[in-house]
Amino acid sequence: MTLKNWLLHGLLMVLVAVGAIACQTSPIANPAPVDCRMVQHPLGETCVPMQPSRVVALDHTAAVNLLSLGVMPAGVASNLLPQLAERLPDVPRLGQSAQINLEALAVLQPDLIIGAASDLEDTYDKLSAIAPTVAFEMQTTADWQQPFRFHGQVLGLEAEAEAVLEQYRQRVETLSNQRGNPPMQVSLVRVMAQSGQIGLYLKNCFGGSILADIGFERPPAQDEGTPDQPPFTKLISREAMTQADGDVILLSTFGATPEIAAEAEAELERLKTDPLWQSLKAVQQNQVYLIGHYWGAGNSPLAAEWVLDDVEQYLLQSSDQEA
């Protein structure tokens, strides 16, 4: 072998060795767990660790369901309801659900990733290269118990999930026994940012399903929708304001960013001075109460507890905290 060939051969060996080391230390490569079980989900089949300890939730519903099961996520998407964000002050944020920062995610070295199928379908292969990835689907937010049970199955906590749902059922039964007869009509209204419209939550939204479980009625314009078929909201114009009326109006605002949230709050202040709004029966009788956006999209047993707290405060006893 000539000196030139010997040098080229040596250089090639060095490059091969460096490449092997790089592959071993890359944060993206993640071998399948040895001790795992297969889980079917909307995007395929995944071998999930028997006892995952670093679970990343790339969706609000996944994150709040983990908390409902007593599991603290190792990382979460940035778009969380304020009430949930407050409970996760030190958990790393990884970007919006549909735009996750894969490098930041890999640094966390998760052993399981959970997210909504609609958000994960474009990046599923890349996510699966980081850690076993499981997707779930939910047709409307009234369908919240189905993904909760699924998350319990994925984590090997089926019995714990059923115990949590049984606690929910028992509290619903207690509150149902305190409900008036005939039941009052409860209107769920969301003030939109800069739209000139307001949103009505139908009975197949998260809070609507809980009102139905307790036995409350809904105004005719909101008494529609099934859990397995969207939509669960509809927009109405100012001229159709009477569709927002009821014995009680539960009113919310929301913004995915602070700017949008501020715009929605400004719209709420304008709505309060609108003569059509002021003509509604619930407004005239001071039966309008501010609630959190979790009524529309809480999607978990934990958020169901927040809804039931509001039911106790605003629908089962008199309160002076009107909007």
Side-chain angles (χ1 to χ4, degrees), residues 32-41 44-50 112 124 132-134 150 153-156 158:
V34 176
D35 189 14
C36 64
R37 54 195 168 80
M38 299 306 296
V39 172
Q40 299 280 348
H41 58 90
E45 187 179 54
T46 299
C47 203
V48 173
M50 299 300 292
L112 179 62
Y124 178 71
T133 301
V134 173
F150 176 70
Q153 173 198 346
V154 170
L155 296 173
E158 294 98 330

Side-chain angles (χ1 to χ4, degrees), residues 34 82 92 108 139 181 196 202 212 234 261 265 277 298:
V34 176
L108 297 179
Q139 297 302 316
N181 195 21
L202 309 178
K234 68 178 179 182
E265 290 289 340
W277 175 258

